[in-house]
Amino acid sequence: MKLRIAVAIALGLAMVAGPGVAWAAWTEAGAGAASARAVSMPAGGSPSAIVTGRNVAVSWPQAALPDATPVNGYLVERYSGGVAQGVGASCSGTITALACTEGAVPPGTWTYTVAPRHHGWIGEEGPESVSVTVAAPSLTLTPPTTLSTLPAGLTGDVASFVTGETIVFRLDDPTGGAVLAGSVASSPIPFSGSSAVSVTIPALTPAGTHTVYAVGSMGSQASATFDVSPHDVTAPTVSSSVIAKSSGWVVGAVRPGGQYYVYANVSDLGSPASGVNSVRANVSSVTTGATSIPLTAGSYTAGGVSYNYRSALQTVSGSTTAGTKAFTITATDTTGNSGTQGGFSVVVDTTAPSAADVQTVNGGATPGRAETGDQLVLTYSEPMEPDRILAGWTGAGTTVTVRLQNAGGGDRVTIRNAGGGVTLPLGTVRLNRTDYTTTTRDFTGSTMVMAGSTITITLGTPSGAVTTAAAGANMRWSPSNTAWDVAGNACSTASRTELGGLDLDF
């Protein structure tokens, strides 16, 4: 009976103690009697904490019951400013060892406490540890960090990244910036949280201050700045170049003794560009000794194409032979990068053009009568310069006036401008009959177009009645030497009789 009473008393004391205050135990006093006493839970000891990267290793002294029995677990808590923050998974719950390591600890200053636990009973928290600081992630670039040429590599180190992270580098924006080529010496990030890194800054990055972001796969982020100074390691590019005679529409052909300009489109594509300093042409194949002709920046047009550089007026050497002549352009930027580009050429033509044939095409209702829609076709021995025939003409369809004039020895045809007041240098076509008209008639609203070596004139509306030729004949065309070929050679005035048998013209 006494033993039973003693056990009950011990249990009652344990229940009164309650959880977190004391742990109850009992012992036997002998066969005839029993006694019981309460055993208090020990408080936790002061832990120590050591920071490595984003990991904090926490350790503490062993806690034991009064009879030297070690408690069988511990509860760890992390604090900031006296407020519990919730410890990471590796140190949460009951820890049966005397140490644990909390990973991925947020940057900040922290203290730790330990409370013993034995079965269902928890002792008081011990005193806080000495405070420890977990540094924020960082990226440090190794000087020099001012870049004068691109692309260029930067080296450095990251620290305080989470163990196991992989890193991506971005330029100027941590989320939307261009991804940079880079490498992490220790990837994924080791326990130390640190690694050597390298990153490449691409060409065409503008001059100024920029930021490299190191973005970790587990949320860490750090940045560092660098500067790009004005620089350029690339020679200017010559995208196009032509030689064009001093006047006219068509480019790419000149004659001995003729004058010409050299045109070029030049741009500097450095990163960033320093700007074009000089442009020079080697046209010694066209003009003897002209190995370095300067071109001047400006706004120019040749053959309907815009150019931003042009030379002064040059002269084709009289001894230059006919044929295709190559020339080169050398462009240099303000930092001294220089490059010579070829693939450009001009044709030197030493042969004067001449009349090759003259024909008419009936496009009206009555053969042998000059009517609206009829055509006069003039064929030269080679392509002609349209601007020399009609100022500003490119060879595309344009309006002219066709004059049909009665004359002894054969009615004749001449071509005039749209207003009819100026005779164009296309010469005179004699129809070799006098029955196409009895007076002078102007076909206004006529059109003229050039294709290759051929000029086709389509008759417009006549100013009055015309007559119909009674029989066929062969026309004779006497060209004008005021017309030029595309190289500037004046046309021969030798006349050309219509090829083929006698026929009704128009």
Side-chain angles (χ1 to χ4, degrees):
M1 175 62 73
K2 291 182 179 179
L3 179 59
R4 288 197 298 272
I5 294 172
V7 170
I9 293 171
L11 290 173
L13 290 174
M15 294 175 66
V16 171
V21 178
W23 175 71
W26 65 86
T27 61
E28 293 187 35
S35 65
R37 57 189 173 89
V39 179
S40 298
M41 281 289 293
S46 177
S48 63
I50 299 175
V51 176
T52 304
R54 295 282 292 281
N55 307 293
V56 180
V58 185
S59 61
W60 52 87
Q62 186 180 70
L65 301 174
D67 64 357
T69 300
V71 298
N72 56 20
Y74 301 87
L75 301 177
V76 180
E77 189 59 82
R78 173 163 48 84
Y79 285 86
S80 175
V83 179
Q85 301 298 309
V87 75
S90 55
C91 284
S92 65
T94 300
I95 307 298
T96 59
L98 296 178
C100 67
T101 297
E102 183 183 12
V105 179
T109 299
W110 312 104
T111 59
Y112 286 82
T113 64
V114 173
R117 181 170 189 169
H118 197 73
H119 299 298
W121 309 103
I122 301 173
E124 293 183 358
E125 284 182 305
E128 295 181 10
S129 68
V130 173
S131 63
V132 293
T133 299
V134 175
S138 64
L139 168 63
T140 304
L141 297 177
T142 303
T145 55
T146 297
L147 307 178
S148 58
T149 61
L150 293 179
L154 292 170
T155 60
D157 299 277
V158 291
S160 295
F161 275 67
V162 174
T163 301
E165 277 192 299
T166 56
I167 293 177
V168 171
F169 299 97
R170 289 185 179 271
L171 179 64
D172 291 335
D173 188 301
T175 56
V179 176
L180 302 174
S183 64
V184 180
S186 300
S187 183
I189 292 296
F191 185 81
S192 66
S194 303
S195 178
V197 298
S198 64
V199 62
T200 299
I201 307 305
L204 302 181
T205 301
T209 300
H210 296 272
T211 303
V212 172
Y213 288 90
V215 182
S217 58
M218 299 181 190
S220 300
Q221 180 179 299
S223 64
T225 61
F226 66 96
D227 294 298
V228 176
S229 59
H231 66 287
D232 190 347
V233 295
T234 305
T237 298
V238 183
S239 59
S240 58
S241 181
V242 296
I243 285 177
K245 57 188 180 296
S246 57
S247 64
W249 171 261
V250 181
V251 302
V254 292
R255 63 177 180 84
Q259 293 186 307
Y260 66 93
Y261 295 101
V262 183
Y263 296 84
N265 275 319
V266 184
S267 57
D268 193 18
L269 302 178
S271 53
S274 61
V276 177
N277 181 55
S278 67
V279 179
R280 294 182 172 272
N282 182 343
V283 289
S284 56
S285 62
V286 180
T287 300
T288 302
T291 58
S292 185
I293 302 301
L295 276 65
T296 303
S299 180
Y300 310 100
T301 301
V305 176
S306 297
Y307 295 90
N308 60 358
Y309 281 84
R310 190 184 76 175
S311 72
L313 199 60
Q314 307 295 312
T315 302
V316 182
S317 296
S319 59
T320 303
T321 57
T324 300
K325 310 297 181 181
F327 65 95
T328 60
I329 302 292
T330 299
T332 305
D333 63 23
T334 58
T335 58
N337 299 300
S338 182
T340 299
Q341 292 179 240
F344 310 120
S345 63
V346 63
V347 173
V348 176
D349 184 357
T350 60
T351 303
S354 60
D357 193 16
V358 56
Q359 296 285 335
T360 59
V361 177
N362 179 36
T366 305
R369 179 192 293 266
E371 298 173 294
T372 301
D374 288 344
Q375 292 181 330
L376 175 66
V377 183
L378 306 177
T379 302
Y380 288 88
S381 59
E382 59 181 294
M384 302 297 286
E385 171 56 64
D387 181 70
R388 184 67 178 178
I389 294 170
L390 177 63
W393 188 36
T394 65
T398 190
T399 301
V400 294
T401 296
V402 176
R403 176 161 290 182
L404 176 60
Q405 186 177 5
N406 180 258
D411 297 341
R412 42 184 89 168
V413 177
T414 55
I415 312 301
R416 296 175 170 251
N417 65 356
V422 178
T423 302
L424 304 185
L426 292 172
T428 301
V429 176
R430 299 179 185 274
L431 301 177
N432 286 331
R433 291 190 62 86
T434 59
D435 52 357
Y436 285 93
T437 182
T438 58
T439 185
T440 299
R441 299 298 186 198
D442 285 339
F443 290 78
T444 58
S446 300
T447 59
M448 176 174 68
V449 65
M450 176 184 291
S453 303
T454 299
I455 297 175
T456 301
I457 301 102
T458 302
L459 275 58
T461 303
S463 58
V466 294
T467 57
T468 303
N474 287 119
M475 298 177 288
R476 188 172 75 255
W477 173 30
S478 299
S480 167
N481 67 355
T482 308
W484 293 349
D485 63 15
V486 295
N489 295 297
C491 186
S492 166
T493 58
S495 63
R496 168 64 67 178
T497 299
E498 175 186 4
L499 298 178
L502 301 179
D503 63 351
L504 287 172
D505 297 313
F506 301 109

